[in-house]
Amino acid sequence: MSGGPAGAVKSSLGAGCAALMILFFTLPAWASLGGDVSTIQADQVHMQGTRRMIAAGPYTVHEIQASNRTVVREYVSADGKVFAVAWHGPWFPDMGQLLGSYFEQYQAAMQMQSSTHIVRRPVSVNQPGLVVQIGGHIRAFSGRAYVPEMLPSGVRVEDIQ
């Protein structure tokens, strides 16, 4: 026997913890700004797109052509970290996915801007640790986001497109 009711509770808790751990480790991990290169394939699946890699000196660009014709480029440093993302196409990409842990900082900056500006103009967030620039119009959007401190030596902001 399992030791009566106390043993049954312990067994149930153990099974519950195991189920939570399995769920936690099987959730998709998205590559995002500041994230690791190993998760870029999950982005490709999420966007239902095709991917190609382009070597560009001190970094590699992982370009994903999404099924909705939006192109996302993830810039990865030699140490395997995504230091910038850029996109263009008829639709906005999932900003939460692309910005990852920087998304809350972006949202807060956007809330500050929307309370003081009309939102129909290009977006520019320039804060310590995060730069986001978005422009365009319906069916022709583009933008980029990067962490200035993470830019590899010799990489210019203009290279992120």
Side-chain angles (χ1 to χ4, degrees), residues 31-32 35-40 51 53-63 73-85 150 152 155:
S32 59
D36 191 89
V37 67
S38 65
T39 58
I40 290 177
R51 178 173 56 137
M53 294 188 329
I54 306 159
Y59 61 93
T60 303
V61 179
H62 294 257
E63 181 180 272
R73 292 187 185 94
E74 300 184 35
Y75 294 76
V76 180
S77 64
D79 66 351
K81 297 292 182 187
V82 179
F83 65 88
V85 294
M150 291 180 68
V155 175

Side-chain angles (χ1 to χ4, degrees), residues 7-141:
V9 169
K10 285 182 184 177
S11 179
S12 293
L13 283 174
C17 287
L20 284 174
M21 287 180 66
I22 290 169
L23 178 62
F24 177 77
F25 288 112
T26 58
L27 287 174
W30 310 120
S32 59
L33 196 57
D36 191 89
V37 67
S38 65
T39 58
I40 290 177
Q41 184 163 352
D43 282 347
Q44 179 183 353
V45 170
H46 178 72
M47 291 184 229
Q48 299 175 1
T50 58
R51 178 173 56 137
R52 70 182 183 129
M53 294 188 329
I54 306 159
Y59 61 93
T60 303
V61 179
H62 294 257
E63 181 180 272
I64 300 171
Q65 171 83 41
S67 60
N68 68 6
R69 297 188 340 260
T70 296
V71 175
V72 172
R73 292 187 185 94
E74 300 184 35
Y75 294 76
V76 180
S77 64
D79 66 351
K81 297 292 182 187
V82 179
F83 65 88
V85 294
W87 63 90
H88 70 273
W91 308 103
F92 271 101
D94 179 341
M95 294 300 287
Q97 174 188 348
L98 286 184
L99 298 180
S101 63
Y102 294 92
F103 185 66
E104 287 184 26
Q105 183 179 355
Y106 165 75
Q107 277 187 311
M110 292 305 298
Q111 287 175 348
M112 292 289 291
Q113 285 186 16
S114 67
S115 67
T116 59
H117 296 91
I118 297 173
V119 184
R120 288 188 164 189
R121 60 189 183 96
V123 170
S124 182
V125 172
N126 193 348
Q127 296 186 340
L130 178 65
V131 175
V132 180
Q133 300 164 329
I134 303 171
H137 53 83
I138 294 175
R139 295 192 199 145
F141 295 105

